[in-house]
Amino acid sequence: MDQLGDLELLMEKSFWEEAEPPAEQFQKKVEASFSKTVLSRGVDNRYLVLAVSIVQNEEGNHEKHLIITASKSLDCKELCILRNDWCSVPVEPGNIIHLEGDCKSDTWIIDEDSGYLILYPDMLISGTSIATSIRCMRRAVLSETFRNSDPATHQMLIGTILHEVFQKAINESFASEKLQELAFQTLQETRHLKEMYRLNLNQDEVKQEVEEYLPSFSKWAGDFMHKYISTDFPQMELSLPSDGSNMDATCNIEVMKSLDIEESIWSPRFGLKGKIDVTVGVKIHRGCKTKYRVMPLELKTGKESNSIEHRSQLVLYTLLSQERRADPEAGLLLYLKTGHMYPVPAKHLDKRELLRLRNQVAFSLFHRVSKSTGNEKTKLSPLPQIIEEQQTCKYCSQVGNCALYSRAVEQQMDDNSVPIGMLPQIKEETQHLKLTHIEYFSLWCLMLTLESQSKDDKKNHQNICLMPSSEMEQSGNCIGNLIRSEQVKTVCDGQYLHAFQHKNGAMPITNLMAGDRIILSGEERTLFALSRGYVKEINMTMVTCLLDRNMSVLPESTLFRLDQEEKSCDIDTPLGNLSKLMKNTNASQKLRDLIIDFCEPQFISYLSSVLPHDAKDTVASILKGPLFFSRRFVLVGDHQQLPPLVLNREARALGMSESLFKRLERNKNAVVQLTVQYRMNSKIMSLSNKLTYEGKLECGSDKVANAVINLPNFKDVKLELEFYADYSENPWLVGAFEPNNPVCFLNTDKVPAPEQVEKGGVSNVTEAKLIVFLTSVFIKAGCNPSDIGIIAPYRQQLKIINDLLAHSSVGMVEVNTVDKYQGRDKSIILVSFVRTNKDGTLGELLKDCRRLNVAITRAKHKLILLGCVPSLNRYPPLGKLLDHLNSEKLIIDLPSGEHESLCHMLGDFHRR
């Protein structure tokens, strides 16, 4: 189902409709709009803003007064007073905020000397983007929107290699010979060699460039590292905020050790995220006194500038560090070319101003779309103002996107405020684009933004940090109290295989399945979002995961929790590629001609390469790379099968669900119908022929058309079933198991088999038991478990079937959704349709004829469909299929009460 963002929905309904809406109406809006939002007090507080007013205080200065609550019932209201420059924070009724500071008598005071307000704290923004906003707010917003999809440049490659050499050396040795060895090893890594080849770089020349930096590495270690330090190491100026103003700033800094490399931290307190190059333990010697701190060390390979942007990154990293440990109060900025290091104190003023900038970036990102009201259509919002600084713009990585967005979006508005002096540069950057290209960019940018907001609503990291695992386990999307049970195995660079067991024995009931993306955290709040990855395997006693970080650095006694990460909103890639499609290059021009302007394609007499079935993905997603790098391309697929998944209703209405395959089909001369198939036998093929292909499909040979399932032990199993269940007297058993009956639909209407709707989703236990029984019989009859596939439209049903299979003697049978079976097949497919109700409730998943088409075309030899005919007839695609099955006498009614006998029979069947 579509879900507007919680906050968006509230703003759309608008607190501004009435000055003081009735309490009941207000309450309903809050409950509807914030059903998934956790409001709370404490360190990770989340407040809902109920009202905003401007008040003049006794001194005649203006203050912004916020009425806030951490209660969904709207009880326990508190007051937040914003003073000084905090008054400019664009906070509105309906916003979620986080507050830092002191609260006395239910009143927060945020002013220039104390406290912070974080707007939209669950929107995590990178420290790098916020640092760039100092000179240009527009660039920061563009950087968060159009993440750079361009491949690495020469300078970026050198920078990456130098970072890695330094990070290895700090844990091993800065001795000259060792540095040479580490540099050589790093240069020999396959990923770097590939980049050198792509950039046409000579390996020896790259080696020489890297080696120029190594003496500076050694110099830095000699000056600052505990192992190498000399008696006359350099004096530095550093005053920590906790030192007070009277303390002498002169000190010596001694780096004791590296504690982490590329430490990734998400901060739901400050609405930040980032990766710290090196986390180091340092001693600050001042006179006869010594302080120990754990600080971020930021490495820079470019020009030694000690710029405000570089220093700001360090200040933001001190805020990030507070998620893991005590406030470091400062960070260290190291320029690798010279070995010079600058201490950067994190003063309250600096943190305050950077967090205010962060709030402005967050506000712009949150309001990227102006929602439709009355006759006004939904449209993209203008970005922060273009600055008029030629020098800054000249070297800006976002200059193309800046000009493109200005021409496509802002210059189409009545009140556009593009600086006149920048119009020539905007024209120059976009003059290669036709009006059709500009319109295409604008439309896709809008659709992708709408879709990203729908997917952002599903991000659940807030619940991970605010809710204990015991509470989250009840929803089935979390497993807590896990301990590492085996040694961590390195699969490849950046992938580590971990095995976990539950501290108290058996795993709790969970919806987590193999292939699910997960976030790994510690049970302690300071260990939030340590790593990301996916579930490799899960059973009653153990879960194995592939993670992007090695957790063996933590104590063995560390308790972990796994939380399912909602489907990642990979809008970054298509937005980046949409930007790339608009570039002034031959490859982009060629693709614009074909995809936007529908130019006639040029054909060749042979196929040089073929893209796989995912050629049916969305236009923006398919441009992940192959088409930009190819001189010609061929798409092979079927747009009558799974469509691109688009959550946002408006984006679907605007055309986002149109695949590239479907779009290019408009040019009839460019399409060839492939009607011969080599998977299904003729009986199974007839279903999709009737439902979708208008009888055009045909089998590739008689062998394919007449193929049936091979069950070498079927005679023995049939005798057993005769004894236990009067096999020959039960048409449904004959229909289900006889190899010469390739298709049957088992109708559960008389059984009955009611659906269950719970927190975890929709399920049908009776159908699940029947599916497991059918599966067990096929396996006992000689079918290999890997030749059987079970499909259900709902994850909760998959979970129940998996649990029943785990408790039975059945081997490893793949149980998955229709979407996961796309492009694959099995000898036997069993489909559980799940929905059985009398109130006419219809799920979205079964309404799509393309999804149904995928389900019924996965089987090669036998297809068994299971469901309630009266309930399923309400779905038009299924109604058409059921009419055909009925005309072919392929629907068999299960007898009343049969499920009871099946339960007993299933038990007896397994015990024998």
Side-chain angles (χ1 to χ4, degrees):
M1 279 181 68
D2 283 333
Q3 292 184 358
L4 285 173
D6 294 342
L7 300 180
E8 286 180 68
L9 185 61
L10 197 58
M11 295 312 297
E12 189 176 286
K13 292 185 176 179
S14 185
F15 275 99
W16 301 103
E17 289 172 2
E18 303 174 51
E20 292 184 1
E24 296 81 5
Q25 181 185 348
F26 195 89
Q27 176 71 34
K28 285 179 182 176
K29 285 181 180 179
V30 171
E31 287 175 357
S33 304
F34 291 92
S35 58
K36 290 185 179 179
T37 301
V38 179
L39 299 176
S40 64
R41 291 185 174 85
V43 177
D44 292 304
N45 65 65
R46 289 290 183 279
Y47 284 97
L48 168 65
V49 179
L50 301 177
V52 180
S53 59
I54 305 295
V55 176
Q56 194 170 28
N57 63 20
E58 293 174 358
E59 290 82 32
N61 298 318
H62 285 95
E63 300 176 342
K64 192 174 274 188
H65 285 206
L66 315 179
I67 305 299
I68 59 177
T69 182
S71 163
K72 281 200 176 182
S73 63
L74 307 187
D75 298 332
C76 308
K77 296 182 180 69
E78 297 176 36
L79 174 65
C80 175
I81 299 174
L82 302 180
R83 291 176 178 161
N84 313 117
D85 289 342
W86 284 104
C87 282
S88 65
V89 175
V91 61
E92 301 168 331
N95 288 164
I96 297 292
I97 59 172
H98 169 76
L99 297 172
E100 292 275 327
D102 295 323
C103 178
K104 295 176 182 175
S105 304
D106 289 338
T107 300
W108 295 80
I109 295 178
I110 312 293
D111 59 22
E112 61 185 6
D113 297 317
S114 64
Y116 309 116
L117 180 149
I118 315 300
L119 186 61
Y120 316 122
D122 296 307
M123 182 185 289
L124 305 183
I125 301 172
S126 81
T128 309
S129 293
I130 295 163
T132 63
S133 74
I134 294 168
R135 293 192 195 277
C136 179
M137 180 62 64
R138 185 179 179 91
R139 178 182 172 182
V141 174
L142 284 166
S143 296
E144 285 289 306
T145 306
F146 298 97
R147 298 188 189 277
N148 200 346
S149 61
D150 289 341
T153 61
H154 181 170
Q155 291 76 16
M156 289 165 68
L157 175 62
I158 298 296
T160 301
I161 293 169
L162 287 167
H163 269 67
E164 290 177 19
V165 173
F166 184 93
Q167 289 164 340
K168 290 171 184 173
I170 202 169
N171 284 322
E172 296 185 41
S173 170
F174 280 99
S176 180
E177 304 78 26
K178 187 63 180 178
L179 282 173
Q180 294 279 350
E181 182 188 327
L182 291 172
F184 180 75
Q185 288 174 0
T186 305
L187 284 163
Q188 293 301 308
E189 290 182 21
T190 306
R191 56 200 171 93
H192 295 322
L193 291 172
K194 283 180 178 177
E195 284 299 295
M196 288 179 225
Y197 177 78
R198 186 184 62 77
L199 293 164
N200 197 25
L201 297 175
N202 181 289
Q203 189 178 342
D204 290 333
E205 291 175 4
V206 172
K207 182 171 177 283
Q208 187 177 340
E209 279 189 74
V210 169
E211 286 177 345
E212 287 174 8
Y213 283 75
L214 300 186
S216 297
F217 286 20
S218 298
K219 175 184 179 299
W220 174 84
D223 286 345
F224 299 105
M225 270 296 277
H226 170 68
K227 296 177 188 175
Y228 315 98
I229 210 156
S230 57
T231 52
D232 55 346
F233 49 83
Q235 290 192 328
M236 312 193 82
E237 297 289 314
L238 172 62
S239 294
L240 299 179
S242 62
D243 290 337
S245 56
N246 298 325
M247 181 75 74
D248 180 11
T250 306
C251 65
N252 307 119
I253 291 177
E254 181 182 2
V255 178
M256 304 300 292
K257 61 180 176 178
S258 161
L259 299 173
D260 207 342
I261 300 294
E262 295 289 337
E263 183 180 21
S264 177
I265 305 179
W266 292 358
S267 173
R269 277 174 64 193
F270 299 108
L272 300 171
K273 64 182 177 183
K275 278 190 177 180
I276 297 172
D277 287 338
V278 189
T279 304
V280 290
V282 303
K283 282 184 177 177
I284 303 167
H285 303 286
R286 188 176 279 114
C288 58
K289 293 183 179 179
T290 298
K291 279 187 176 182
Y292 182 79
R293 288 284 188 275
V294 176
M295 290 184 177
L297 171 62
E298 177 70 7
L299 309 178
K300 296 295 180 186
T301 54
K303 182 182 176 183
E304 181 179 335
S305 62
N306 196 20
S307 67
I308 188 171
E309 287 92 348
H310 290 175
R311 297 174 69 83
S312 295
Q313 263 186 279
L314 263 301
V315 173
L316 290 165
Y317 288 162
T318 66
L319 289 171
L320 282 174
S321 297
Q322 290 179 47
E323 293 290 347
R324 293 270 192 270
R325 56 192 71 90
D327 185 356
E329 298 192 276
L332 301 170
L333 178 60
L334 170 59
Y335 290 94
L336 294 177
K337 193 153 194 172
T338 61
H340 292 165
M341 186 169 76
Y342 298 85
V344 181
K347 298 173 184 174
H348 176 80
L349 179 149
D350 297 324
K351 291 188 279 191
R352 179 191 76 206
E353 294 308 305
L354 286 168
L355 287 174
R356 286 182 56 242
L357 285 171
R358 181 242 162 242
N359 287 340
Q360 289 180 45
V361 175
F363 183 84
S364 291
L365 289 170
F366 189 81
H367 294 89
R368 284 176 293 173
V369 168
S370 302
K371 286 289 181 182
S372 55
T373 52
N375 296 326
E376 286 287 316
K377 292 182 179 179
T378 297
K379 58 186 179 183
L380 290 165
S381 302
L383 297 178
Q385 182 73 34
I386 295 176
I387 62 170
E388 291 191 76
E389 290 186 26
Q390 295 289 341
Q391 198 64 17
T392 303
C393 295
K394 184 178 179 181
Y395 297 105
C396 177
S397 60
Q398 292 292 337
V399 64
N401 291 325
C402 177
L404 184 57
Y405 196 93
S406 175
R407 182 179 164 195
V409 179
E410 292 159 341
Q411 291 183 33
Q412 310 306 316
M413 297 176 177
D414 296 333
D415 58 344
N416 93 78
S417 54
V418 180
I420 294 173
M422 296 303 292
L423 288 174
Q425 188 168 347
I426 291 169
K427 184 178 180 182
E428 183 183 343
E429 288 285 339
T430 62
Q431 63 186 356
H432 61 283
L433 298 171
K434 300 178 187 175
L435 182 60
T436 52
H437 305 156
I438 294 293
E439 290 170 347
Y440 184 89
F441 171 85
S442 180
L443 175 62
W444 269 96
C445 195
L446 173 61
M447 292 191 297
L448 286 165
T449 304
L450 287 168
E451 180 69 0
S452 72
Q453 291 178 345
S454 285
K455 291 186 177 181
D456 283 341
D457 299 336
K458 294 180 173 291
K459 288 184 177 176
N460 61 340
H461 59 253
Q462 181 206 46
N463 293 343
I464 301 172
C465 102
L466 296 181
M467 292 175 69
S469 60
S470 56
E471 199 173 325
M472 287 289 285
E473 278 181 356
Q474 294 173 18
S475 69
N477 297 327
C478 171
I479 307 174
N481 286 307
L482 295 171
I483 53 174
R484 286 201 320 273
S485 59
E486 294 177 8
Q487 195 169 359
V488 176
K489 297 172 186 171
T490 302
V491 176
C492 61
D493 186 37
Q495 281 206 325
Y496 306 92
L497 188 65
H498 293 68
F500 298 98
Q501 287 181 335
H502 199 270
K503 179 187 174 186
N504 302 321
M507 290 284 175
I509 295 171
T510 179
N511 294 333
L512 286 172
M513 299 167 56
D516 282 348
R517 292 206 63 82
I518 47 100
I519 296 171
L520 177 85
S521 303
E523 287 285 6
E524 291 180 33
R525 168 63 183 84
T526 55
L527 300 178
F528 166 61
L530 291 169
S531 179
R532 299 165 80 186
Y534 63 90
V535 177
K536 188 94 165 47
E537 190 178 339
I538 186 166
N539 55 42
M540 302 301 290
T541 59
M542 185 181 291
V543 55
T544 56
C545 308
L546 268 177
L547 301 174
D548 60 8
R549 287 179 66 76
N550 189 334
M551 292 295 108
S552 61
V553 295
L554 294 173
E556 283 188 23
S557 58
T558 306
L559 287 177
F560 296 97
R561 60 183 281 179
L562 290 177
D563 290 86
Q564 184 181 354
E565 183 175 16
E566 299 291 349
K567 284 187 179 177
S568 61
C569 165
D570 185 22
I571 298 302
D572 297 342
T573 301
L575 272 172
N577 287 320
L578 179 64
S579 164
K580 195 172 182 179
L581 184 63
M582 298 296 143
K583 287 199 169 180
N584 191 13
T585 64
N586 290 334
S588 295
Q589 174 63 54
K590 184 178 174 183
L591 288 174
R592 287 196 298 272
D593 290 344
L594 291 168
I595 294 168
I596 302 175
D597 297 330
F598 299 111
C599 291
E600 286 278 340
Q602 295 179 340
F603 289 95
I604 53 172
S605 57
Y606 61 92
L607 298 182
S608 58
S609 64
V610 176
L611 290 180
H613 65 270
D614 61 359
K616 301 184 301 303
D617 235 334
T618 59
V619 174
S621 293
I622 192 63
L623 301 178
K624 286 180 179 175
L627 303 195
F628 284 111
F629 296 103
S630 63
R631 285 180 295 172
R632 59 177 69 96
F633 64 89
V634 178
L635 302 182
V636 178
D638 181 359
H639 63 264
Q640 301 282 15
Q641 297 200 6
L642 280 188
L645 180 63
V646 180
L647 295 177
N648 187 277
R649 185 184 290 112
E650 281 187 272
R652 276 204 306 272
L654 288 167
M656 190 175 173
S657 59
E658 179 184 61
S659 67
L660 177 60
F661 198 96
K662 179 68 176 172
R663 181 176 177 85
L664 295 182
E665 196 186 40
R666 295 182 201 180
N667 196 322
K668 298 298 181 186
N669 294 330
V671 181
V672 175
Q673 294 284 346
L674 304 177
T675 58
V676 179
Q677 62 85 29
Y678 292 86
R679 173 188 293 157
M680 302 167 280
N681 64 30
S682 57
K683 290 284 180 66
I684 298 172
M685 181 187 72
S686 70
L687 303 187
S688 53
N689 248 343
K690 184 70 177 178
L691 183 71
T692 304
Y693 299 111
E694 300 174 338
K696 293 176 183 174
L697 277 187
E698 54 186 270
C699 293
S701 67
D702 289 341
K703 183 179 178 182
V704 172
N706 301 319
V708 295
I709 187 69
N710 178 34
L711 301 173
N713 306 327
F714 185 54
K715 284 186 179 179
D716 297 335
V717 171
K718 199 185 321 189
L719 286 172
E720 202 168 338
L721 285 171
E722 191 71 60
F723 178 73
Y724 280 97
D726 295 328
Y727 177 85
S728 56
E729 300 298 319
N730 275 289
W732 73 271
L733 289 171
V734 175
F737 295 121
E738 287 293 336
N740 290 323
N741 297 333
V743 179
C744 79
F745 188 106
L746 301 178
N747 180 16
T748 63
D749 185 37
K750 295 177 183 176
V751 175
E755 67 182 49
Q756 292 83 40
V757 181
E758 303 162 305
K759 275 187 179 178
V762 187
S763 62
N764 190 315
V765 176
T766 305
E767 281 191 22
K769 289 178 178 177
L770 282 163
I771 289 284
V772 172
F773 166 68
L774 294 167
T775 303
S776 65
V777 172
F778 280 122
I779 291 172
K780 195 159 190 178
C783 186
N784 192 314
S786 63
D787 289 330
I788 302 174
I790 298 171
I791 294 176
Y794 301 100
R795 285 180 59 93
Q796 184 68 6
Q797 182 73 348
L798 304 181
K799 177 65 194 147
I800 289 173
I801 293 170
N802 269 321
D803 287 347
L804 290 172
L805 286 170
H807 285 94
S808 72
S809 58
V810 176
M812 292 299 293
V813 175
E814 186 178 356
V815 183
N816 235 317
T817 58
V818 178
D819 303 58
K820 293 285 178 70
Y821 269 107
Q822 170 87 325
R824 302 171 55 232
D825 54 48
K826 297 280 185 179
S827 188
I828 301 173
I829 288 286
L830 300 99
V831 182
S832 169
F833 284 107
V834 181
R835 301 311 298 246
T836 307
N837 58 66
K838 294 179 180 177
D839 61 6
T841 303
L842 298 178
E844 294 291 320
L845 290 173
L846 297 179
K847 290 180 181 177
D848 195 323
C849 61
R850 293 169 292 187
R851 184 167 268 103
L852 177 60
N853 188 35
V854 173
I856 63 174
T857 54
R858 300 305 95 196
K860 294 192 281 188
H861 305 129
K862 194 156 192 62
L863 175 66
I864 299 176
L865 309 169
L866 188 65
C868 175
V869 170
S871 294
L872 298 177
N873 253 323
R874 294 196 290 266
Y875 299 89
L878 273 163
K880 184 177 177 181
L881 176 65
L882 290 167
D883 284 345
H884 173 68
L885 290 168
N886 193 44
S887 68
E888 297 291 318
K889 296 183 170 51
L890 296 174
I891 297 178
I892 305 170
D893 292 335
L894 288 170
S896 175
E898 189 63 50
H899 66 296
E900 292 296 335
S901 62
L902 278 176
C903 289
H904 297 303
M905 184 180 69
L906 186 58
D908 290 340
F909 195 81
H910 286 306
R911 281 197 290 271
R912 285 183 65 82

